[in-house]
Amino acid sequence: QNYTIDRTPPIVDIVDVSPDPRNTAVDSIAITFDANVDGFNKADLSLTRNGTNVGLGPATLDHTGPNYTLSGLTTLTSLPGTYMLTLTAAGSGITDQAGNALVTGASDTWIVDTTAPDTAITATPPNPSNSGTATFSFTGDDGGGTGVAGFECQIDGGGFVACTSAQTYNSLADGSHTVDVRAVDAASNADPTPASYTWVVDTTPPGTTIISN
């Protein structure tokens, strides 16, 4: 009769929260073992926000084989801050089906940032301007947030598209034009009050009349 000896402890992974950083709560997190295990329950997990414990009371833990899902986290992770979910191996009683105890735990950290950045236009064409080309420079400030990741611009209400400072517009028709610029941070928060500049393009030279007496 043949026997298989298994002395290898199970391995666990808390699947990275994505996107991270983010501007919304996390509803569920996947936790995976490399083998079926016994003794794993919600009490083996802890959730913190900015280092302070967040009770997992309303959350639920379900599984299919070695793949677990911790659900019902929306109300627990809706506030801005840095979150960490930890599975502690020591004293957990988690074992694989050969009786090998979990030796090494796992954790995942993510950031919820709900504060939008501010935007400032720092260089503009003159108003009025005799050129059909206009260049804009701009900056963003995200305060203590996750940082400005990029900018979006629109001209004359045509819709925001990604842009960089200095943004140049060419072949502008004579008349009034408006450019709006908004910063977007790493958590995808966009400035709700974009910086705006309106100016007039006038490339038509004045007429001249010679009057003789």
Side-chain angles (χ1 to χ4, degrees), residues 165-186:
S165 182
Q167 171 69 30
T168 298
Y169 295 97
N170 296 301
S171 303
L172 296 173
D174 280 10
S176 178
H177 298 279
T178 299
V179 163
D180 302 306
V181 184
R182 65 187 184 190
V184 181
D185 68 16

Side-chain angles (χ1 to χ4, degrees), residues 121-166:
I121 296 175
T122 57
T124 64
N127 183 31
S129 170
N130 63 2
S131 173
T133 297
T135 299
F136 292 81
S137 297
F138 36 84
T139 61
D141 181 7
D142 199 31
T146 50
V148 173
F151 295 90
E152 295 176 341
C153 301
Q154 73 169 356
I155 184 167
D156 298 333
F160 282 97
V161 296
C163 60
T164 57
S165 182

Side-chain angles (χ1 to χ4, degrees), residues 17-27 110-114 186-187 189:
V17 167
S18 180
D20 174 34
R22 59 193 297 120
N23 57 23
T24 58
V26 174
D27 178 64
W110 69 95
I111 294 173
V112 175
D113 173 9
T114 58
N189 296 298

